[in-house]
Amino acid sequence: MNKYIEYSVEVKHALDNNLPIVALESTIISHGMPYPENVKTALECEKIVRDNGSVPATIAILNGKLKIGLSKEEIDFLGKKALKIVKTSRRDIAYNVANKIDGATTVSATSYIASLAGISVFATGGIGGVHRGAETTFDISADLEELAETKVLVVCAGAKSILDLGLTLEYLETKGVPVVGYGTNVLPAFYCNQSDFLVNFRIDTPKEIAEVFNTQLLLNLRGGMLVTNPISDLYSMDKEVIDEAISNAIIEMNKEGIKGKETTPYLLSKIAEITKGDSLAANIQLVYSNCRLASEISVHLNKLK
Ligand code: PSU
Ligand code: MN
């Protein structure tokens, strides 16, 4: 196993000294945002994690290695090559490593690789879920299965309404994944902090979130925890505006015949186009907020371990 893993100096030092760490994904860099905003955002995420007490570990597959902690140059490479970098979910990990194909890791692949290193807190923007129309397409993100299997706490801003939020919650319930609302009873919907759904548990402080997750680990419960952090009112988009943009983006997508793993990246960029960049600005702010919260949770979790 070790021959496939390569740590940055900073992450190796953190692991050796039991410092709190936060994993960060790389699909959001290559497929989730345009260049150069993607690189700028990824570097700022690392800074926010550091400023709040943890060490950032951005994860990707490069030169046949599972890289845990990237250099600025590597982040720049992933951002510039963007869609030319293969979006790598759990199913793609072995093939890409064996063939030395560079990969930007999704929530599922990042969680798995983080768990190999014993990293148990991870910040992202949004997770994949049950797509609208999944009853005919069967399009259910591997992210949900990973949350069911892997002991990682994932901080996100809820799920975008490009997904079916109700079915996503049902799927997580079936798999026994607790969905926590940070300071909210309402499941946040990514760009917008309102939705018609409720979270399982409202918890108001990073410390209490860490305590519940630590208890979950001590009870040896399978799987992770989903912490949903609502986008701040300052940046939250109007529900009607974003819902209409999403519906129109889905219509365009179906016209163009986009399917499978291209779905999420296509919709993200289409929605940014329709909202003239407003959705991208919201996306960037919510990721920053998630990095802050994840770093704080990781600091508290670290004290309990
Ligand atoms: N949501 C975002 N930005 C993203 C993604 C989701 O707002 O970049 C990425 C994440 O990497 C997530 C992946 O794991 O999309 C889900 O893709 P799919 O639906 O194909 O499983
Ligand atoms: Mn899918």
Side-chain angles (χ1 to χ4, degrees), residues 25 27-28 32 87 106-107 126 128 131 141 143 160 190 264 268:
E25 59 149 316
T27 292
I28 192 171
K87 179 178 162 188
T106 63
V107 170
H131 278 261
S141 176
D143 293 354
K160 276 168 297 301
F190 197 75
T264 302
L268 288 171

Side-chain angles (χ1 to χ4, degrees), residues 41-231:
T41 304
L43 295 174
E44 184 64 20
C45 283
E46 294 202 333
K47 180 175 184 299
I48 291 169
V49 169
R50 285 187 198 102
D51 290 350
N52 288 278
S54 300
V55 171
T58 306
I59 292 177
I61 295 176
L62 294 171
N63 305 314
K65 301 279 187 209
L66 307 177
K67 301 275 292 186
I68 306 184
L70 302 180
S71 66
K72 278 196 175 123
E73 291 69 30
E74 287 165 334
I75 288 177
D76 199 61
F77 170 79
L78 290 170
K80 269 200 188 123
K81 289 203 86 180
L83 301 183
K84 292 195 189 94
I85 302 283
V86 177
K87 179 178 162 188
T88 302
S89 164
R90 171 189 260 265
R91 66 149 195 219
D92 309 293
I93 295 174
Y95 185 86
N96 291 352
V97 168
N99 291 291
K100 294 199 164 49
I101 296 168
D102 293 336
T105 50
T106 63
V107 170
S108 71
T110 307
S111 299
Y112 175 71
I113 295 168
S115 76
L116 294 179
I119 300 171
S120 52
V121 178
F122 169 14
T124 183
I127 57 156
V130 180
H131 278 261
R132 291 194 202 174
E135 60 276 20
T136 46
T137 62
F138 263 55
D139 192 347
I140 300 174
S141 176
D143 293 354
L144 298 185
E145 204 55 40
E146 203 60 45
L147 274 162
E149 292 292 326
T150 303
K151 293 179 177 178
V152 173
L153 179 153
V154 179
V155 180
C156 71
K160 276 168 297 301
S161 31
I162 61 173
L163 303 170
D164 187 317
L165 300 188
L167 294 188
T168 301
L169 284 172
E170 289 296 341
Y171 194 96
L172 290 168
E173 177 173 306
T174 301
K175 297 292 182 175
V177 178
V179 179
V180 169
Y182 176 56
T184 181
N185 291 303
V186 175
L187 177 74
F190 197 75
Y191 300 120
C192 166
N193 54 26
Q194 295 305 312
S195 79
D196 299 330
F197 300 91
L198 298 178
V199 296
N200 307 142
F201 311 104
R202 171 185 173 146
I203 307 183
D204 291 341
T205 66
K207 181 166 177 275
E208 289 165 287
I209 294 174
E211 282 163 2
V212 177
F213 186 58
N214 191 50
T215 306
Q216 179 173 321
L217 295 176
L218 291 173
L219 289 170
N220 199 23
L221 282 153
R222 188 171 56 94
M225 173 181 281
L226 188 65
V227 174
T228 63
N229 178 26
I231 184 171

Side-chain angles (χ1 to χ4, degrees), residues 2 8 10 21 28 31 33 94 103 147 156 158 187 189 191 204 208 216 237 258 278:
N2 278 345
S8 66
E10 186 187 18
I21 302 177
I28 192 171
H31 294 254
M33 291 180 191
L147 274 162
C156 71
L187 177 74
Y191 300 120
D204 291 341
E208 289 165 287
Q216 179 173 321
M237 295 181 73
I258 308 282
D278 285 356

